[in-house]
């Protein structure tokens, strides 16, 4: 029994080390000066921050962070508003019509945006949506909505209908009762939607690289990708840039871990 | 995902007509049963709440989707106003494209390969970390951590590991061999490396879904099978696996969709090269459109990719659902 426990611990620690490995290499690479050619496995003898300043300036990460922030914040706001509103009738009144609408919405989960890249790109040129915040935000919103609606409908299904009825007997219209009574109850699932959509939008590369090509509209991933090309020999700079880009989400995750994991699990198990 | 649609099979307003409700409330719902009756409180009017979503979908998904089918029947270059209809030529061309075989094979490796490993490894991790050991919280945290990072950045991090000059892997290789190895330029290896990086990044998601599934299995089942004299292997096969079926379904379908559309990691590690060696349908389409300015053919490739993902994931879903019901 004791040796079995011992093996379990050993395996658990081995897995931890394996999965932390790339982050360790990222850290050592980004903290060593570019002239230090020692192995990436070795810790730096002296910490050097120059890679970070070079990456920050070279890739114009300051601008990219602002772009990322604006795009993520507005995408989230719209997804939460439209997603929760749409889920309410779809979950509460499962008429034939609404069931088909729900199925159509959920089915779009399997349409990867890349498959319609060519026509979408042309459409964006036609409507002057290229290199605009609203253009990329609406794309993020559209492709995040199926998952948000799926999660919201599942959650609304668990709220007793008696609540609606009581409110209506008190004279509230269904619209009022949604905004005053149901919406505040959706906080836990909203946290899940916020985290899932937020991470996805913040990390996005596909939409940004196609639809935000102007230099001052670049998001973090696009800025890093265009920084990577000419700097493959200055890998320490790219490493520092990658670390800076990954930091906000990682810190958020480490401090709010429970929210990330319980949200994911609840969404999945209900399914 | 699954439970929702199952619930919807119960029929309209099934819960509303459930027992224990007052007569008054039942009337409220009856009043709203018809879609066309638009009183202040009718569900019909409430359906306006999903109209914005349908508008967005029509503009940014359905309309482009139909346009994509149209464009795939033309020789449009993506810029010029002049183009002509060429019927199925783009699709015929696809059949004769000598690279398409490699590209489809790679796409399948990225999709099916990652799905297999994410599920197998994710399940092993979940079983291990479902035991009461003190390090399990830490291990879970770290295993899930890569899923938070952008796939493009995860690709770069692994690039530092595999890169030819000064890569972390070659530091080890050089201890045992004379020459460093260039795996990312090796067509036999790089496809599998890309698949492995995708697996590494998202195995934590599979693990969390499996852990949630494991925790929802009641201990009674295990006690009952213990009384029947079942050993650990038979418990796993007869209790754990069947009751985990819904988690397996979700994981397989999510991972298939994720792997078949893989893009960022390929761009970060090899850009699809050398030549076409690690190209997937998604990167090939990107290259055909922006590199070769061949919009008609790129649109056809996009449609092929859509068909492939739709058929494979829906087939997997239907197959696994049937299994779920059987067990």
């Amino acid at each position: 029994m004791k040796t079995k426990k011992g093996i379990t611990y050993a395996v658990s620690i081995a897995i931890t080390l394996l999965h932390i490995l790339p982050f360790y290499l990222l850290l050592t690479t980004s903290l060593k000066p570019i002239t230090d050619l020692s192995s990436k496995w070795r810790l730096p003898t002296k910490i050097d921050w120059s890679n970070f300043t070079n990456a920050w300036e070279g890739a114009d990460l300051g601008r990219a962070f602002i772009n990322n922030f604006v795009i993520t914040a507005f995408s989230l706001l719209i997804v939460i508003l439209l997603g929760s509103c749409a889920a309410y009738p779809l979950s509460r009144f499962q008429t034939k019509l609404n069931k088909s609408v729900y199925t159509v919405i959920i089915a779009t989960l399997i349409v990867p945006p890349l498959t319609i890249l060519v026509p979408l790109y042309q459409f964006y040129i036609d409507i002057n949506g290229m290199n605009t915040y609203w253009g990329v935000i609406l794309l993020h919103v559209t492709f995040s909505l199926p998952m948000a609606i799926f999660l919201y409908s599942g959650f609304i299904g668990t709220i007793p209908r008696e609540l609606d009825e009581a409110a209506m007997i008190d004279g509230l219209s269904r619209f009022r009762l949604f905004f005053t009574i149901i919406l505040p109850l959706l906080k836990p699932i909203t946290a899940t939607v916020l985290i899932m959509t937020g991470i996805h939008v913040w990390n996005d590369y596909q939409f940004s690289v196609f639809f935000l090509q102007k230099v001052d509209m670049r998001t973090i991933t696009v800025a890093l990708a265009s920084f990577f090309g000419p700097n493959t020999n200055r890998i320490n700079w790219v490493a520092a840039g990658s670390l800076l880009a990954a930091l906000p989400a990682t810190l958020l995750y480490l401090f709010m871990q429970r929210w990330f994991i319980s949200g994911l699990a609840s969404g999945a198990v209900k399914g | 995902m699954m439970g929702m649609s199952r619930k919807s099979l119960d029929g309209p307003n099934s819960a509303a007509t459930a027992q224990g409700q007052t007569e008054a409330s039942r009337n409220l719902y009856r009043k709203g049963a018809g879609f066309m009756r638009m009183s202040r409180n009718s569900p019909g009017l409430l359906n306006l709440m999903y109209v914005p979503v349908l508008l967005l979908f029509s503009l940014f998904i359905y309309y482009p989707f139909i346009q994509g089918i149209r464009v795939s029947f033309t020789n449009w270059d993506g810029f010029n106003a002049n183009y002509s209809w060429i019927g199925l030529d783009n699709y015929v061309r696809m059949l004769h494209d000598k690279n398409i075989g490699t590209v489809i094979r790679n796409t399948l490796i990225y999709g099916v390969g990652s799905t297999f490993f994410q599920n197998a490894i994710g399940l092993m991790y979940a079983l291990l970390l479902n035991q009461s050991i003190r390090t399990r919280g830490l291990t879970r945290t770290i295993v899930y951590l890569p899923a938070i990072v952008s796939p493009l950045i995860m690709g770069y991090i692994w690039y530092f590991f595999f890169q030819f000059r000064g890569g972390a892997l070659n530091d080890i290789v050089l201890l045992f061999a004379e020459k460093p190895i260039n795996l990312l330029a090796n067509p036999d290896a790089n496809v599998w490396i890309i698949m492995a990086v995708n697996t590494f990044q998202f195995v934590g998601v599979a693990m969390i879904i499996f852990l949630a599934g494991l925790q929802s299995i009641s201990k009674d089942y295990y006690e009952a099978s213990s009384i029947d004299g079942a050993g650990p292997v038979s418990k796993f096969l007869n209790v754990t696996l069947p009751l985990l079926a819904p988690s397996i379904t979700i994981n397989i379908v999510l991972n298939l969709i994720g792997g078949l559309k893989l893009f960022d990691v390929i761009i970060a590690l090899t850009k699809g090269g050398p030549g076409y060696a690690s190209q997937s349908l998604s990167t090939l389409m990107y290259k055909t459109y922006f590199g070769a300015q061949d919009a008609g053919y790129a649109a056809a490739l996009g449609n092929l990719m859509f068909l492939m993902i739709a058929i494979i994931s829906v087939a997997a879903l239907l197959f696994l659902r049937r299994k779920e019901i059987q067990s």
Side-chain angles (χ1 to χ4, degrees):
Chain A
M1 221 31 221
K2 224 174 197 169
T3 52
K4 200 183 152 217
K5 201 112 218 188
I7 293 170
T8 314
Y9 271 106
V11 176
S12 155
I13 288 163
I15 293 172
T16 313
L17 290 177
L18 176 75
H19 282 263
I20 202 118
L21 177 95
F23 297 96
Y24 169 78
L25 294 173
L26 183 67
L27 201 66
T28 59
T29 312
S30 59
L31 289 174
K32 281 182 201 171
I34 208 135
T35 46
D36 184 344
L37 293 175
S38 69
S39 168
K40 290 189 173 63
W41 299 95
R42 288 228 174 89
L43 283 167
T45 42
K46 192 173 139 274
I47 288 180
D48 180 85
W49 297 105
S50 67
N51 298 318
F52 290 93
T53 51
N54 281 324
W56 187 268
E57 281 156 24
D60 199 3
L61 282 180
R63 177 77 214 177
F65 265 93
I66 295 175
N67 289 338
N68 254 48
F69 189 78
V70 172
I71 292 167
T72 309
F74 280 97
S75 300
L76 286 177
L77 202 72
I78 304 175
V79 165
I80 285 167
L81 188 71
L82 292 187
S84 59
C85 281
Y88 182 59
L90 290 176
S91 172
R92 272 290 190 262
F93 309 105
Q94 296 178 1
T95 55
K96 249 199 187 118
L97 173 79
N98 286 3
K99 275 203 270 180
S100 336
V101 169
Y102 181 77
T103 312
V104 166
I105 290 175
I106 299 304
T108 48
L109 273 173
I110 62 164
V111 184
L114 268 178
T115 61
I116 52 170
L117 172 67
V118 176
L120 205 52
Y121 194 84
Q122 186 53 37
F123 181 53
Y124 260 62
I125 293 175
D126 292 344
I127 60 171
N128 289 322
M130 296 293 292
N131 294 311
T132 60
Y133 281 136
W134 64 262
V136 81
I137 287 170
L138 285 183
L139 279 181
H140 280 307
V141 167
T142 305
F143 284 93
S144 305
L145 273 170
M147 188 45 105
I149 291 173
F150 167 68
L151 290 170
Y152 274 124
S153 322
F155 194 85
I156 292 173
T158 65
I159 300 175
R161 280 159 194 272
E162 284 79 357
L163 211 63
D164 299 33
E165 285 146 21
M168 284 169 69
I169 289 164
D170 286 348
L172 256 67
S173 75
R174 281 196 203 274
F175 289 103
R176 284 273 310 273
L177 93 84
F178 172 74
F179 286 106
T180 54
I181 298 184
I182 304 292
L183 203 55
L185 291 175
L186 298 180
K187 268 182 211 145
I189 199 71
T190 300
T192 304
V193 174
L194 266 176
I195 287 168
M196 284 177 75
T197 312
I199 292 291
H200 200 80
V201 174
W202 182 269
N203 284 338
D204 172 72
Y205 176 62
Q206 291 176 9
F207 285 141
S208 319
V209 74
F210 301 133
F211 298 98
L212 300 173
Q213 292 173 345
K214 244 167 65 185
V215 174
D216 60 349
M217 288 302 289
R218 279 178 184 160
T219 56
I220 297 172
T221 47
V222 183
L224 266 184
S226 51
F227 184 62
F228 179 73
N231 288 300
T232 34
N233 293 325
R234 279 168 282 203
I235 221 63
N236 309 52
W237 293 9
V238 183
S242 302
L243 192 69
L244 286 172
L247 210 57
T250 309
L251 288 179
L252 203 67
Y253 163 67
L254 290 176
F255 286 110
M256 296 176 56
Q257 223 197 105
R258 247 180 0 143
W259 285 95
F260 278 66
I261 287 181
S262 69
L264 180 67
S266 72
V269 169
K270 249 183 231 122
Chain B
M1 198 180 304
M2 322 301 132
M4 280 307 307
S5 32
R6 216 176 284 146
K7 192 181 70 193
S8 63
L9 291 178
D10 298 347
N13 295 328
S14 57
T17 47
Q19 48 175 297
Q21 287 190 348
T22 62
E23 192 58 36
S25 78
R26 217 174 279 168
N27 286 336
L28 278 175
Y29 278 94
R30 201 169 292 149
K31 201 172 79 187
F35 171 58
M36 300 310 292
R37 234 171 293 159
M38 299 269 183
S39 81
R40 191 174 71 115
N41 275 337
S42 78
L45 200 59
L46 211 64
N47 288 350
L48 286 175
M49 289 172 89
Y50 59 65
V51 169
V53 173
L54 292 181
L55 268 174
L56 281 177
F57 279 29
S58 310
L59 269 179
F60 297 107
I61 302 179
Y62 306 137
Y63 171 73
F65 186 78
I66 293 163
Q67 285 294 315
I69 296 172
R70 235 174 57 96
V71 171
S72 76
F73 295 128
T74 70
N75 63 357
W76 189 46
D77 63 1
F79 305 95
N80 211 316
N82 297 318
Y83 58 85
S84 44
W85 295 92
I86 55 168
L88 287 169
D89 278 13
N90 282 323
Y91 295 92
V92 176
R93 197 175 132 199
M94 214 184 276
L95 292 174
H96 297 291
D97 190 332
K98 62 179 176 2
N99 296 311
I100 199 85
T102 317
V103 171
I104 289 178
R105 187 200 66 143
N106 293 345
T107 310
L108 285 173
I109 292 177
Y110 300 146
V112 181
S114 331
T115 302
F116 174 77
F117 286 106
Q118 279 174 69
N119 276 279
I121 301 173
L123 182 58
M124 283 194 284
Y125 283 6
L127 289 171
L128 181 88
L129 298 174
N130 200 31
Q131 297 176 43
S132 54
I133 52 170
R134 243 176 290 162
T135 50
R136 73 176 179 184
L138 175 76
T139 309
R140 280 184 202 173
T141 306
I142 300 298
V143 171
Y144 186 71
L145 178 62
I148 305 298
V149 176
S150 165
L152 184 85
I153 294 171
M154 192 44 71
Y156 287 145
I157 300 179
W158 283 103
Y159 179 85
F160 309 148
F161 184 82
F162 286 111
Q163 82 186 116
F164 182 53
R165 266 186 300 167
L169 179 67
N170 274 331
D171 288 339
I172 299 176
V173 169
L174 285 173
L175 295 177
F176 304 99
E178 300 248 309
K179 278 192 202 151
I181 48 173
N182 197 353
L183 287 179
L184 290 179
N186 179 347
D188 294 323
N190 59 13
V191 178
W192 297 98
I193 289 177
I194 291 168
M195 187 276 288
V197 169
N198 183 46
T199 303
F200 170 88
Q201 181 165 16
F202 292 110
V203 70
V205 178
M207 176 192 73
I208 297 293
I209 291 175
F210 280 132
L211 272 170
L214 284 174
Q215 277 152 17
S216 69
I217 300 176
S218 159
K219 284 204 173 62
D220 300 349
Y221 290 112
Y222 291 105
E223 276 164 24
S225 67
S226 282
I227 294 166
D228 292 343
V233 176
S234 126
K235 265 188 210 164
F236 176 73
L237 291 176
N238 297 319
V239 179
T240 313
L241 222 44
L243 289 171
L244 221 47
S247 312
I248 297 174
T249 307
I250 297 173
N251 270 332
I252 289 184
V253 174
L254 285 181
N255 297 344
L256 273 175
I257 297 175
L260 289 169
K261 67 168 191 195
L262 199 65
F263 179 79
D264 304 16
V265 178
I266 308 171
I267 294 291
L269 281 171
T270 65
K271 294 203 160 61
Y276 286 82
S278 57
Q279 212 83 253
S280 72
L281 275 174
S282 59
T283 56
L284 179 66
M285 189 194 56
Y286 171 60
K287 197 179 146 122
T288 311
Y289 187 28
F290 291 101
Q293 298 181 355
D294 199 348
Y297 191 48
L301 286 169
N303 293 338
L304 173 70
M305 186 174 149
F306 169 75
L307 265 184
M308 207 166 130
I309 295 179
I311 291 173
I312 294 179
S313 51
V314 171
L317 181 66
L318 293 178
F319 173 77
L320 292 164
R321 273 272 194 82
R322 235 183 34 207
K323 284 256 155 172
E324 261 179 55
I325 293 163
Q326 275 169 11
S327 55

